[in-house]
Amino acid sequence: MTAVGLGKIILLGEHAVVYGYPALAAALDRGVTIAAVPTPAGGSLRIDIPAWDLRVLATDDHPVSRALLAICDELGVGRPAVTLVGDAQIPHSAGLGSSAALAVAVARALLAYQKRPASPKEVLAAANASEALMHGRASGVDVALAMAGGIGVFRKTTGLQPFPSVPLRVLVGPSGAARTTSAMVDKVADATHASADDKRLRELGGLTDIGAAALVAKDLPALGAAMNRAHEILAGLGVSTEQLDSLCEAARVSGAHGAKLTGAGGGGAVIAIAPRDREQAVLTEWKNAGVTGFVATVGGGA
Ligand code: MEV
C-alpha cells in the first residue's frame, strides 16, 4: 500500500503562526508517497527517495534518519526491517512542506505495514515529533495540511479549521535556493525578541483574517493586497531575499493581484494570485528569471 503526505502553501500568516496567530494555508495536490517493502535478507530500516537523491539508513548520521527514528519511537513500531521507498512530486527545502509531507507519508506507511489503522492522532503526533527535530519550534501547520488536504485557517491552539472555498488558482515559483526553516524561525525570533506582542507579528495575524474573509468573498484583489503587505512585513523581519523580492515584483508588474514568499523564506518559493489572463505573463517573467513556476489549484472542497 502506498501512503501519501501532501505539500502545502501558506497564503498568509507564516512565522506569525509560530506565535499563536492564524495562518491561511492550503494543501497542494501533490506531495510525497511512501511504500514500505521488506528489506531483503532482513536488512535494517532505510528510506530511499530517488526523486530527491535521498538514500539513508535509519542508523545514519543524517537529519532524515533522526526524523525517521523519532517517528518510529512515537508510533512504537520498533525498527522494522523495511525499506521505505518513496516518490516526491514537490522539491525539498523549498517552503512547500516537504518534510511534513514526508513525515506523514512515512508514519502512515509504517502503520499500514504493521496492519495498524492509520489513526489521525497517532500520525499527527509522529509527524509533529519529526518536525520538531527538523525545524525546532514548528507550529504544526505543515503537518495539519499534509494530513488533511484542502484549505483552512490553522492556529496552534485549535489546529486546522477547514473552510469551503471556490477552487483558487495559485502560481507557485520555487526559487531553487534552499534554506532551513529553523534558521528562518530563529531569525524572526531574534527580530521580534520572540514576543507575540511584536506589532509586525500582530499585523501578519490580522492580514490572515483579512485575506481569509477576502477569499470567502471571492475578492481576489483584496486577497492579493493582503499578500503584498505580508511580503513587505516578512521582508522587514529579514526572511526575504533579493531573489524572492524580485520574483514577487515581477509577478506584480505582470498583472498579479499580489505576490509573496511562502513558508519560512530565506529562499524557497514565492506564490502569486493573478487574473486568469495574466497567469502566463507571470510564469513567463519567472521563467526569464530562471524559475519554472506552476499553477496549483487549491481548495474547492477538496
Ligand atoms: C513553515 O511552513 C512556516 C513557518 O511558519 C514555520 C511553522 O509554522 O512551523 C515559518
Side-chain angles (χ1 to χ4, degrees), residues 35-47 57-58 68 72 77-85 110 113-114:
V37 296
T39 304
S44 60
L45 176 62
R46 63 190 65 203
I47 186 158
L57 296 174
L68 176 55
C72 289
V77 295
R79 305 286 183 262
V82 293
T83 300
L84 299 164
V85 184
L110 286 170
Y113 185 76
Q114 297 218 327

Side-chain angles (χ1 to χ4, degrees), residues 8 10 14-15 17-18 137-142 181 185 263-264:
K8 66 92 190 48
I10 296 184
E14 52 273 271
H15 287 293
V17 69
V18 173
R137 51 167 114 191
S139 67
V141 61
D142 291 11
T181 297
V185 170

